[in-house]
Amino acid sequence: MTLKKIFPLFIILLTALCLGSCKSGRQTVKAGTEVTSTGWTRVRVPVTIRLTSPANMSVGATVTMIRDTSITISAKVIGMEFFVAQATNDSVLIVDKMHRQFLGKNISDALAGLPFNASSVQDILTGHPIDIPESILPPGAKCTVTLNGDMLSDISFSNRGTTNVRLTYPATVSTPYGTMAESTVITADSEKSDKNISATIEWQWSKAKWNTDVEPRVIKLSDRYTRIDTGNIAKLLGGS
């Protein structure tokens, strides 16, 4: 699997994850609803990620979340990890292990740029509402939320009209630690690229591990890895 094929599949997830990674002088968003997601401090859940635009492909992966701290995505083929990405309150790290290449935290500057933290992004990905005071959004940024009871039905972000990200949640499922989105549909478009992106995260909550059964992941890279130029994200999304 080439780098060109890997990035279209995962960059859409990082569009959402990077919402929490951009440093800002503004206040970050705090989680607004704890009723359905309370009690867990760590979770590791298998997922299937399906991309329908700009290409059709899917891959199995694992998402590990340390509450209020980090979100890590890992994908393996025949037991060998070929891709790992981690978003925290401070940074985003994306690693292509097959080619020993990585993107550092500067990728957050090329994506949505909204001032959220790890906790709020975890809630958004799993379908839980958050409080988003208009005063904390960057100039020109907008957020629209639609609820389905205590859960999100739809949440959309627009950043100065150049980047638009929308997440929808077709169904929910019960877990030992409350209600979670059964799947998360993510779409994104940007004036910087003619490649609109559409992907679905299918969560396998019945196979999730919780709290003390989950170890935090620390990603370390050797000096054999080289940094990828982030100057043109459109190329990484499948452009020539």
Side-chain angles (χ1 to χ4, degrees), residues 78-156:
I78 317 177
M80 181 179 296
E81 186 176 61
F82 70 88
F83 178 94
V84 62
Q86 187 172 80
T88 70
N89 288 323
D90 299 317
S91 62
V92 171
L93 177 65
I94 312 164
V95 183
D96 169 20
K97 288 195 166 185
M98 291 183 66
H99 303 91
R100 294 193 179 95
Q101 299 181 90
F102 72 96
L103 291 175
K105 62 181 179 180
N106 288 339
I107 193 173
S108 64
D109 297 332
L111 301 175
L114 299 175
F116 297 155
N117 57 22
S119 176
S120 55
V121 175
Q122 289 166 353
D123 282 339
I124 291 171
L125 287 177
T126 56
H128 296 96
I130 60 173
D131 293 327
I132 309 176
E134 185 176 350
S135 60
I136 74 168
L137 296 176
K142 297 180 180 179
C143 178
T144 304
V145 175
T146 304
L147 297 180
N148 179 14
D150 292 331
M151 298 290 287
L152 284 170
S153 173
D154 182 293
I155 185 166
S156 301

Side-chain angles (χ1 to χ4, degrees), residues 2 4 37-38 69 106-107 129 156 177 185-186 188 190:
T2 66
K4 187 174 180 178
S37 59
T38 190
T69 301
N106 288 339
I107 193 173
S156 301
Y177 293 91
V185 180
I186 310 173
S190 173

